[in-house]
């Protein structure tokens, strides 16, 4: 039975772990703290508290694995947190598990294009923000070790959508003068992509995004119509963008060429068939 380590068993990691387990893999998950590991003890695979930024902890917990997925989260931290979790974490995993294939989940924020153009893996990835520069440094480290890099678009899924959260909170603004494309990907489609890449992917970059980037204004217009609510007010956005000031459309053609096809190919598909039902249910949290 093949074994996979999910280094970072959070929102994406748990879904990925369950997919591997259902496919017959033996799974082990790591989380950064004992508290988070304790909270996940009901999962049908072992969870261990291992901070991957601490090489001694990684070495102490090391056993044999056939694949390692580095999908730990910085939880929105600053550049120092990015360096600790992503770069130091990758260095430690590559050092301790030398020779074991590593898949690193990066971000499409490494693309800094601002003209709304389509970007593929062959396009320049020269970010301006320090956090994204650290992701690029980590990507190169992983590729140099013959690993795989999955560049994830904005993550959404059951119980998670920053657009829906802002819309419902009355914080959304439609900025017609500075509209931009939003690239997103459903959590379950990420899990399917990571599984496929572990089985078939070469040591390269792969964009993981849905089929249809949409303008931010189009997303809010769709939500207003679907939920029968007023459109957000028009004006200049006041909040700083989490992923910087880029404006691009991320292509997923390379990943689809491997046989991957998103279950939720568009924003309306994901909203209608996954995210809005979870919002309607009593357990949803926005």
């Amino acid at each position: 039975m093949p074994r996979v380590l999910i280094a970072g068993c959070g929102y994406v990691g748990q879904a990925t772990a369950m997919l591997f387990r259902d496919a017959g893999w033996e799974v082990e998950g790591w989380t950064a703290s004992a508290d988070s590991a304790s909270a996940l003890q009901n999962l049908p695979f072992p969870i261990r508290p291992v901070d991957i930024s601490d090489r001694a902890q990684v070495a102490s917990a090391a056993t044999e694995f056939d694949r390692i997925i580095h999908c730990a989260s910085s939880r929105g931290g600053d550049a120092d947190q990015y360096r600790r979790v992503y770069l130091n974490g990758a260095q430690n995993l590559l050092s301790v598990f030398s020779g074991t294939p590593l898949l690193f989940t990066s971000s499409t924020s490494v693309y800094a294009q601002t003209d709304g153009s389509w970007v593929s893996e062959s396009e320049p990835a020269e970010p301006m923000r320090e956090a994204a520069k650290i992701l690029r440094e980590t990507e190169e480290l992983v590729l140099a070790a013959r690993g795989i890099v999955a560049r994830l678009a904005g993550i959404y899924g059951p119980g998670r959508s920053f657009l829906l959260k802002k819309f419902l909170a009355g914080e959304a603004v439609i900025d017609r003068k500075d509209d931009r494309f939003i690239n997103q990907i459903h959590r379950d489609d990420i899990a399917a992509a990571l599984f496929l890449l572990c089985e078939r992917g070469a040591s390269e970059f792969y964009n993981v995004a849905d089929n249809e980037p949409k303008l931010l204004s189009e997303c809010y217009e769709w939500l207003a119509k679907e939920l029968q609510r007023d459109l957000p007010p028009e004006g200049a956005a006041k909040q700083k963008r989490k992923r910087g000031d880029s404006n691009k459309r991320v292509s997923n053609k390379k990943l689809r060429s491997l046989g991957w096809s998103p279950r939720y190919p568009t924003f309306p598909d994901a909203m209608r068939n996954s995210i809005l039902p979870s919002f309607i249910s009593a357990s949803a949290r926005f």
Side-chain angles (χ1 to χ4, degrees), residues 188-265:
D188 297 346
D189 288 328
I190 297 173
L194 300 185
F195 182 83
L196 178 65
L197 289 174
C198 278
E199 288 200 319
R200 298 178 55 185
S203 177
E204 298 176 4
F205 302 107
Y206 296 88
N207 294 334
V208 186
D210 69 18
N211 293 350
E212 187 181 278
K214 295 182 74 68
L215 288 170
L216 180 59
S217 61
E218 293 176 341
C219 293
Y220 285 142
E221 288 166 353
W222 187 91
L223 287 172
K225 183 177 180 180
E226 186 75 8
L227 299 175
Q228 298 183 355
R229 299 195 180 198
D230 292 336
L231 278 172
E234 295 192 12
K238 297 180 181 179
Q239 292 183 334
K240 187 176 181 180
R241 295 174 181 173
K242 183 178 179 181
R243 290 194 167 208
D245 294 325
S246 64
N247 178 28
K248 72 269 183 173
R249 288 173 285 176
V250 176
S251 171
N252 64 12
K253 288 184 179 180
K254 183 176 179 179
L255 183 59
R256 285 193 287 118
S257 72
L258 296 182
W260 175 83
S261 179
R263 180 179 177 184
Y264 304 99

Side-chain angles (χ1 to χ4, degrees), residues 70-83:
H70 178 349
C71 56
S73 171
S74 69
R75 298 187 178 277
D78 58 14
D80 288 341
Q81 181 75 348
Y82 267 61
R83 184 170 297 280

Side-chain angles (χ1 to χ4, degrees), residues 262-273:
R263 180 179 177 184
Y264 304 99
T266 69
F267 177 77
D269 289 324
M271 280 290 163
R272 283 199 181 108
N273 301 317

Side-chain angles (χ1 to χ4, degrees), residues 67-279:
R67 296 287 188 277
I68 297 172
I69 298 178
H70 178 349
C71 56
S73 171
S74 69
R75 298 187 178 277
D78 58 14
D80 288 341
Q81 181 75 348
Y82 267 61
R83 184 170 297 280
R84 189 179 70 82
V85 173
Y86 298 124
L87 183 58
N88 294 353
Q91 289 172 333
N92 293 333
L93 291 170
L94 290 170
S95 175
V96 172
F97 296 100
S98 178
T100 302
L102 173 68
L103 191 160
F104 171 60
T105 56
S106 184
S107 167
T108 57
S109 65
V110 299
Y111 297 113
Q113 287 80 349
T114 61
D115 59 356
S117 60
W118 282 96
V119 293
S120 68
E121 293 82 352
S122 63
E123 301 296 328
E126 300 170 345
M128 301 298 293
R129 296 169 61 242
E130 185 63 25
K133 290 180 180 180
I134 294 169
L135 290 177
R136 282 290 292 122
E137 188 177 354
T138 308
E139 289 181 350
E140 295 297 340
L141 175 74
V142 171
L143 285 187
R146 306 300 300 164
I148 297 174
V149 172
R151 290 172 171 165
L152 308 185
I155 302 167
Y156 64 167
R160 177 168 169 172
S161 169
F162 83 95
L163 287 182
L164 180 59
K165 182 177 179 180
K166 290 182 68 174
F167 180 85
L168 295 176
E171 299 172 354
V173 174
I174 295 179
D175 189 348
R176 301 288 184 188
K177 295 182 179 180
D178 191 23
D179 210 354
R180 62 190 175 97
F181 284 100
I182 301 295
N183 300 276
Q184 299 186 96
I185 183 65
H186 192 281
R187 176 201 65 186
D188 297 346
D189 288 328
I190 297 173
L194 300 185
F195 182 83
L196 178 65
L197 289 174
C198 278
E199 288 200 319
R200 298 178 55 185
S203 177
E204 298 176 4
F205 302 107
Y206 296 88
N207 294 334
V208 186
D210 69 18
N211 293 350
E212 187 181 278
K214 295 182 74 68
L215 288 170
L216 180 59
S217 61
E218 293 176 341
C219 293
Y220 285 142
E221 288 166 353
W222 187 91
L223 287 172
K225 183 177 180 180
E226 186 75 8
L227 299 175
Q228 298 183 355
R229 299 195 180 198
D230 292 336
L231 278 172
E234 295 192 12
K238 297 180 181 179
Q239 292 183 334
K240 187 176 181 180
R241 295 174 181 173
K242 183 178 179 181
R243 290 194 167 208
D245 294 325
S246 64
N247 178 28
K248 72 269 183 173
R249 288 173 285 176
V250 176
S251 171
N252 64 12
K253 288 184 179 180
K254 183 176 179 179
L255 183 59
R256 285 193 287 118
S257 72
L258 296 182
W260 175 83
S261 179
R263 180 179 177 184
Y264 304 99
T266 69
F267 177 77
D269 289 324
M271 280 290 163
R272 283 199 181 108
N273 301 317
S274 175
I275 299 171
L276 287 177
S278 71
F279 155 69

Side-chain angles (χ1 to χ4, degrees), residues 25-39:
W25 287 62
E26 185 177 341
V27 177
E28 181 169 307
W30 288 1
T31 63
S33 71
D35 287 343
S36 56
S38 178

